[in-house]
Amino acid sequence: MVHVVESELQRVGRSIHAAFPTRSRHPLRALDVKAMEMAAQDQELRAALFRFVDVTPACTSLDDLARHLSAYLDEVDERPPPLAAAMRMSQSKAGRTALGAAAAAGVRHMAHRFIVGETPRDARGVLEGLWRDGVATSVDLLGEATVTSAEGERYAARCHEALDDLAGVYRPLPARPLLEADRSGPIPRENLSVKVSALTPLLRPEAPERGKADAAPRVRALLRHARELGAHLHIDMESFDSREAVTDLVLELLSEDEFRDGPSAGLVLQAYLRDSPQLCERVIAWAQSTPRDYPLLVRLVKGAYWDHEIVEARQHGWESPVFEVKADSDRNFEELTRRLLEARPAVRVAIASHNLRSIAHALAASRAMGGDDRDVEIQVLRGLGDDLQEALAKRGLRVRTYCPVGDLVAGMAYLVRRLLENTSNESFLHEQAAGRSLDELLAAP
Ligand SMILES: Cc1cc2nc3c(=O)[nH]c(=O)nc-3n(C[C@H](O)[C@H](O)[C@H](O)COP(=O)(O)OP(=O)(O)OC[C@H]3O[C@@H](n4cnc5c(N)ncnc54)[C@H](O)[C@@H]3O)c2cc1C
């Protein structure tokens, strides 16, 4: 079996690779190449730039922005020439204004590669274009770490509005059978991803029940609204300290009788967590004992909070909840892929990755089990997975692109996570950009 999967994997991986657009808009080229090359090489500079990007939305003026930039860069011992020039500019007010404007424009430019619009209505053109190109989407309303209850209410109201907007965008579009059904039945066109930490300020590891209780009415209202519209609601997964509460919340709400017949809904499993195999078994057991009209959609990811989890664990002197060797996350991802695929049709499976090996493995494993390609969904992130998305659509596979919507302020935390991830030397996209051969990229972890 292993041998069969491995040879099929090589075939699928090469076929997808051959369908990549020739004039490739490589995702790392979308980031400012020079800045990213330097950031990847120099840890101090990397940290300074990330802190700077983080603070940008809070700056009140260009002058203010430039002051922050020079303060952060001051901490870097060996400055590459462009940064030394920037430091000289920051010594006068006029220089600071010019520097601030350039930095703000740079950050905005970068953000627009990843964030499709301020509202789903603004993003209409992008969403329609993707659908016409054979690509489904999940719209993510940016907004994290709500501090007050009023903020949670506001985020919930934006989610309701987004569901209505999405119905307005998607209803008139032409049929795309590949994107609208698998062997379990219909798949909604409208798909919204939400974060529980944006719906409640009370999501705290020391009192998970309070966070759950506070978020439950808001999530329940969103589930009802999604069911009325025939939309899919997906609950994203965040850092480890909220994992239990978020998982319990989703499974408890979806166990309620009123949600048996819908809406389509799902959660996320993070393969970088050492205990994810146990959680995977729990989710599968839940799905098998809780029949629903729409099977639970499990989005398998590696996990976006790796740096955060490592720092958090070190600070407390705990063993980190995440694997510390990249290949361990990759191997676990493949193991979980197999488990989830075997559990169909009790669950639907979405493989969310830009790693060609991880994706080819899922398709090959599914085929080896006698599965239909329609029963595996591949998901990518807007701005990072653009070429991959095009190749997958060209090969007749169902691909869904996660499209963040919102303003730059709310987008910063998202952007910083994408930057951190992709300037890490171990990231697949980084290796691909560095010119690794296809054999190496498809090799077993
Ligand atoms: C559509 C979509 C939705 C997503 N939703 C979520 C979500 O809800 N929650 C969430 O947490 N993430 C989410 N992610 C992000 C995802 O978790 C990954 O961070 C991202 O996709 C990179 O993984 P990869 O397989 O594409 O790339 P790869 O380069 O193959 O893997 C990179 C990942 O490996 C892991 N890693 C890196 N270094 C090490 C190391 N030294 N030891 C162990 N592991 C390491 C990290 O998880 C890192 O992100 C989503 C991704 C997509 C595409």
Side-chain angles (χ1 to χ4, degrees):
M1 171 84 161
V2 171
H3 181 66
V4 176
V5 171
E6 206 53 49
S7 59
E8 182 63 15
L9 184 161
Q10 295 292 330
R11 248 195 314 277
V12 184
R14 276 157 216 281
S15 153
I16 295 172
H17 189 261
F20 267 62
T22 38
R23 240 169 37 84
S24 163
R25 290 164 280 124
H26 197 280
L28 292 190
R29 235 162 274 147
L31 306 175
D32 179 21
V33 180
K34 267 267 163 325
M36 286 307 121
E37 266 172 15
M38 293 191 291
Q41 284 158 13
D42 180 331
Q43 286 305 317
E44 259 177 63
L45 177 59
R46 211 172 150 218
L49 287 177
F50 292 138
R51 260 178 289 144
F52 168 67
V53 171
D54 221 5
V55 86
T56 305
C59 291
T60 50
S61 66
L62 297 179
D63 199 36
D64 194 20
L65 193 61
R67 226 189 292 273
H68 272 102
L69 180 59
S70 61
Y72 287 137
L73 295 180
D74 231 6
E75 294 164 20
V76 180
D77 291 338
E78 276 179 45
R79 274 173 234 131
L83 295 183
M87 296 296 291
R88 279 195 300 279
M89 278 175 81
S90 72
Q91 281 155 18
S92 74
K93 176 141 171 43
R96 267 203 301 279
T97 306
L99 177 62
V107 170
R108 202 168 300 128
H109 173 79
M110 210 143 73
H112 281 150
R113 308 292 308 214
F114 299 95
I115 298 172
V116 292
E118 297 227 338
T119 65
R121 229 174 299 170
D122 286 344
R124 180 179 208 125
V126 175
L127 303 179
E128 280 179 1
L130 287 169
W131 183 262
R132 289 182 200 282
D133 290 343
V135 178
T137 61
S138 184
V139 164
D140 158 46
L141 282 190
L142 291 165
E144 335 204 355
T146 287
V147 195
T148 64
S149 199
E151 283 173 356
E153 290 285 353
R154 259 199 310 278
Y155 180 76
R158 282 176 54 217
C159 290
H160 283 284
E161 222 174 286
L163 284 170
D164 290 326
D165 286 348
L166 287 176
V169 171
Y170 278 99
R171 285 207 179 140
L173 294 177
R176 283 281 178 274
L178 175 67
L179 305 182
E180 300 189 69
D182 62 8
R183 287 197 295 190
S184 292
I187 297 172
R189 294 178 170 197
E190 301 84 359
N191 185 312
L192 182 70
S193 288
V194 300
K195 288 193 174 55
V196 178
S197 67
L199 285 170
T200 170
L202 301 179
L203 199 64
R204 300 263 156 66
E206 60 284 4
E209 289 301 323
R210 280 185 72 204
K212 259 170 58 190
D214 194 56
R218 290 179 195 145
V219 179
R220 200 179 280 120
L222 285 171
L223 286 168
R224 287 184 186 137
H225 194 176
R227 188 184 46 205
E228 275 160 36
L229 294 171
H232 173 91
L233 190 73
H234 213 91
I235 311 296
D236 284 354
M237 196 57 81
E238 304 176 65
S239 51
F240 179 63
D241 57 8
S242 62
R243 196 261 321 251
E244 203 83 359
V246 170
T247 309
D248 290 353
L249 177 68
V250 176
L251 298 184
E252 283 168 25
L253 288 177
L254 294 181
S255 302
E256 292 177 3
D257 274 349
E258 70 163 307
F259 298 125
R260 288 251 156 162
D261 60 349
S264 170
L267 48 62
V268 176
L269 185 64
Q270 295 161 316
Y272 67 5
L273 291 178
R274 295 176 198 273
D275 70 355
S276 51
Q278 288 90 299
L279 182 59
C280 182
E281 293 310 319
R282 186 183 149 211
V283 168
I284 290 173
W286 177 90
Q288 286 167 340
S289 61
T290 318
R292 308 186 70 242
D293 285 7
Y294 292 90
L296 179 77
L297 176 62
V298 182
R299 178 200 295 156
L300 179 63
V301 303
K302 281 169 200 154
Y305 304 82
W306 189 82
D307 294 78
H308 166 86
E309 303 298 0
I310 293 283
V311 171
E312 188 72 7
R314 286 207 183 123
Q315 272 171 359
H316 291 92
W318 295 330
E319 194 205 4
S320 85
V322 294
F323 292 114
E324 294 185 34
V325 175
K326 166 78 163 58
D328 288 342
S329 292
D330 290 340
R331 271 193 297 270
N332 191 41
F333 191 89
E334 295 190 3
E335 201 47 53
L336 296 176
T337 297
R338 276 191 290 273
R339 273 304 287 136
L340 291 169
L341 292 174
E342 280 164 8
R344 293 171 301 179
V347 292
R348 276 178 161 152
V349 185
I351 300 297
S353 171
H354 308 114
N355 185 319
L356 192 56
R357 158 88 199 183
S358 305
I359 294 171
H361 168 266
L363 291 162
S366 173
R367 288 177 190 177
M369 291 170 199
D372 189 311
D373 284 351
R374 278 186 311 163
D375 295 335
V376 187
E377 176 165 298
I378 311 296
Q379 298 190 349
V380 302
L381 298 176
R382 170 78 178 177
L384 285 179
D386 297 355
D387 288 347
L388 178 59
Q389 151 208 296
E390 200 175 317
L392 292 165
K394 210 185 286 172
R395 287 290 178 251
L397 297 161
R398 189 168 71 254
V399 54
R400 183 177 307 280
T401 297
Y402 184 95
C403 294
V405 159
D407 66 20
L408 197 56
V409 178
M412 266 316 133
Y414 178 83
L415 195 58
V416 170
R417 263 204 306 281
R418 300 285 82 83
L419 296 180
L420 267 176
E421 215 166 78
N422 290 290
T423 52
S424 140
N425 286 326
E426 292 186 280
S427 116
F428 178 88
L429 289 176
H430 191 271
E431 302 224 323
Q432 196 180 17
R436 289 286 168 113
S437 70
L438 192 51
D439 282 340
E440 287 172 292
L441 295 175
L442 288 176

